[in-house]
Amino acid sequence: MKSLIKVIIYCSLFISHSALAELAKVQVNGFDVEYELAGKGKHTILLEAGGSAGLSDWDPVFESLTKHAKVIRYSRIGNGGSAQVKKNYSSEEYAAEAVLLLKTLKIEEPVVYVAHSYGAYLARVFAATYPNQIKALMLIEPASEHDVDIMRAIDLPRAEKEIAAIKLDDMKNGMSNQYLDFWAKRPLPDYPQIADIPVTVIASVKKYKKPSVLFFTDKAREMWGDLHSKWANAFPQGEIVITNKSYHYPQNDEPEMVVAQVVKLLERTK
């Protein structure tokens, strides 16, 4: 029995060590960037986490996705296990660093870019700026420069107060603030031009029992769904997936659905 216990303990330690060993770091712009690369297939998926999140943002779906493609997830500089540098970053800088990461990892083929929340904002900039390095795009609960427009359309005086409070809260993060694009650019940028590639947008319209701000009210949820439906459907190869079973993290609440939609996107991609 003691020998069996030792074997079990040894195996557990080995498995744990192997899981940790899969994480690696590379230098991007002189800073350590944490990443994980696994799986194989004719497509390469690049996973982009949301604001202030690291590669663990994709824990619920990462392993499943590796069964269908080569998959890369990473933590942007300042997030997760990457270098904790404090710097004002724009989406253009983040997109440029994603290009450097792919180059460092010797990924030469165009990627299928799957991004969540603020990461989706970066993915849009990447797609518009580096069209030869992307062949399909999935945006999950994407942050949008038109979020504030939704609030203002519902109740302008209340919206202005809430937006000001949100802005101040963001700025408390100092140099690590990742919403520079929204607050520092005037006028606010609009959707960048993206080539005719397969695009899938997943947006949640699940209602909040006690919405803390206008953006989470029932009316705003409806407008949110409409906004992304119109944007996705404007693409010749665009598809919209509306869910009422998740809040802001479908990859956590509905991992099977997200994986199924990624696989569907891969099948639509040349």
Side-chain angles (χ1 to χ4, degrees), residues 100-263:
L100 290 177
L101 173 66
L102 293 171
K103 183 178 181 180
T104 302
L105 297 180
K106 295 181 170 53
I107 304 298
E108 298 179 355
E109 69 275 13
V111 299
V112 174
Y113 212 140
V114 178
H116 173 242
S117 192
Y118 177 69
Y121 189 92
L122 309 181
R124 285 167 35 205
V125 173
F126 181 102
T129 310
Y130 309 101
N132 294 329
Q133 295 190 248
I134 182 171
K135 57 183 176 180
L137 178 64
M138 175 177 284
L139 309 181
I140 302 173
E141 275 289 281
S144 166
E145 53 271 40
H146 296 296
D147 294 351
V148 291
D149 295 337
I150 289 175
M151 298 172 69
R152 288 175 174 136
I154 296 172
D155 186 333
L156 183 59
R158 178 182 167 185
E160 293 298 345
K161 292 180 181 179
E162 291 182 353
I163 292 167
I166 293 169
K167 179 179 178 180
L168 288 175
D169 187 58
D170 281 348
M171 293 305 177
K172 286 179 182 178
N173 292 322
M175 296 297 283
S176 65
N177 171 44
Q178 295 183 5
Y179 297 89
L180 181 66
D181 295 287
F182 295 152
W183 305 129
K185 293 181 179 178
R186 292 293 181 272
L188 284 176
D190 209 338
Y191 291 121
Q193 295 299 310
I194 297 174
D196 180 10
I197 58 176
V199 175
T200 299
V201 178
I202 299 177
S204 170
V205 295
K206 186 173 181 178
K207 296 180 179 179
Y208 290 74
K209 292 181 179 180
K210 295 181 180 180
S212 56
V213 293
L214 280 170
F215 190 66
F216 299 126
T217 60
D218 290 357
K219 180 61 177 176
R221 295 294 83 207
E222 179 184 341
M223 294 173 68
W224 171 262
D226 290 342
L227 170 71
H228 290 300
S229 294
K230 290 176 182 177
W231 188 77
N233 289 328
F235 284 89
Q237 301 181 67
E239 289 192 3
I240 181 69
V241 177
I242 298 294
T243 178
N244 60 5
K245 298 179 181 179
S246 306
Y247 286 115
H248 192 51
Y249 291 87
Q251 69 267 38
N252 290 343
D253 300 332
E254 300 178 82
E256 295 85 1
M257 179 273 287
V258 171
V259 171
Q261 289 300 328
V262 173
V263 172

Side-chain angles (χ1 to χ4, degrees), residues 18-55:
S18 297
L20 291 173
E22 292 174 359
L23 296 180
K25 290 185 178 180
V26 293
Q27 289 269 308
V28 175
N29 268 349
F31 297 106
D32 284 339
V33 171
E34 169 191 53
Y35 78 95
E36 184 173 8
L37 192 162
K40 59 182 180 180
K42 67 177 183 178
H43 298 295
T44 298
I45 297 172
L46 176 63
L47 298 175
E48 189 76 56
S52 300
L55 55 75

